[in-house]
């Protein structure tokens, strides 16, 4: 490997053998790992870590849904990876929060459960840096009406903003709680 002025970020997602309810092959982990890499890549200040590789490993112990690991597991993994990077003291432009929305008929549901995902017509996942109001990744599946797509995007960004505030408060609580 050659010297670079910036660090590298490696992400890997794997599933435990007992993670799925049905004994079957785990979801396509290489694709999920690539998508995980794209989410925090813009948030981590890799220039401050020359000649360094930062590894993010996520081991899923229980799959969140049978229907779509993309919109079920990936938002949780992305948010947890961001919290882990911040807790480890990595320099970040901002935390990365991720939320999924399912469209069932005319209804939009944030972070739906397995039973709801089985009925969904379409789904969306948005990952953003809430303080900077920047979307780092957006994944859309299914057929959307333009009006519903816009409404779902606003719902996701608003939920990411609220999640970002909660993430900050938990990090502050952990930092100040450890000093006592």
């Amino acid at each position: 490997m050659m010297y670079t002025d910036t660090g590298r970020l490696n992400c890997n997602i794997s599933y435990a053998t007992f993670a799925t309810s049905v004994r079957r092959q785990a979801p396509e982990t290489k694709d999920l790992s690539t998508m995980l890499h794209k989410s925090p890549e813009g948030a981590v200040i890799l220039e401050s870590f020359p000649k360094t590789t930062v590894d993010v490993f996520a081991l899923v112990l229980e799959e969140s849904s049978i229907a779509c690991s993309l919109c079920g597991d990936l938002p949780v993994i992305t948010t947890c990876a961001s919290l882990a990077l911040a807790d480890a003291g990595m320099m970040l432009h901002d935390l990365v929060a991720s939320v999924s929305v399912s469209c069932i008929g005319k209804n939009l549901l944030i972070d739906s459960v397995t039973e709801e995902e089985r009925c969904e017509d379409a789904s969306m996942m948005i990952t953003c840096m809430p303080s900077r109001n920047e979307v780092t990744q957006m994944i859309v599946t299914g057929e959307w009406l333009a009006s519903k797509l816009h409404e779902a995007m606003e719902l996701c960004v608003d939920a990411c903003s609220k999640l970002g505030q909660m993430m900050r408060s938990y990090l502050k609580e952990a930092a100040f709680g450890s000093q006592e």
Side-chain angles (χ1 to χ4, degrees):
M1 188 176 300
M2 297 187 61
Y3 171 79
T4 60
D5 289 334
T6 62
R8 276 183 42 169
L9 179 66
N10 292 331
C11 297
N12 186 10
I13 298 174
S14 59
Y15 283 74
T17 55
F18 53 85
T20 59
S21 59
V22 179
R23 289 274 182 205
R24 63 178 173 83
Q25 197 69 355
E28 200 55 48
T29 57
K30 188 171 184 174
D31 293 340
L32 288 174
S33 296
T34 301
M35 289 182 227
L36 173 61
H37 180 268
K38 290 178 183 176
S39 298
E41 185 178 33
V44 179
I45 304 172
L46 293 171
E47 295 80 23
S48 61
F49 304 102
K51 295 170 111 178
T52 303
T53 299
V54 177
D55 291 322
V56 176
F57 294 102
L59 174 62
V60 178
L61 299 177
E62 184 177 351
E63 183 181 44
S64 68
S65 76
I66 297 169
C68 177
S69 61
L70 186 67
C71 291
D73 295 331
L74 192 58
V76 175
I77 295 168
T78 302
T79 302
C80 289
S82 176
L83 281 169
L85 288 167
D87 190 50
M90 298 297 299
M91 293 182 63
L92 303 172
H93 291 291
D94 192 8
L95 291 171
V96 177
S98 187
V99 175
S100 66
V101 168
S102 294
C103 181
I104 302 173
K106 294 181 179 181
N107 299 320
L108 295 176
L109 303 171
I110 297 177
D111 290 333
S112 56
V113 295
T114 304
E115 294 78 28
E116 295 165 337
E117 285 181 358
R118 288 185 182 138
C119 303
E120 74 183 10
D121 302 319
S123 63
M124 171 190 294
M125 183 193 88
I126 286 189
T127 303
C128 70
M129 293 187 279
S131 296
R132 297 172 70 121
N133 205 21
E134 290 180 27
V135 173
T136 62
Q137 188 174 36
M138 180 173 149
I139 300 170
V140 180
T141 61
E143 294 183 24
W144 288 86
L145 295 172
S147 61
K148 278 291 178 194
L149 185 65
H150 184 69
E151 184 181 346
M153 287 172 60
E154 287 180 356
L155 192 62
C156 276
V157 171
D158 184 51
C160 281
S161 176
K162 291 176 183 172
L163 180 58
Q165 291 172 357
M166 290 172 46
M167 291 165 67
R168 276 186 202 352
S169 70
Y170 291 134
L171 285 169
K172 286 177 186 174
E173 183 179 308
F176 292 122
S178 65
Q179 291 177 354
E180 293 176 2

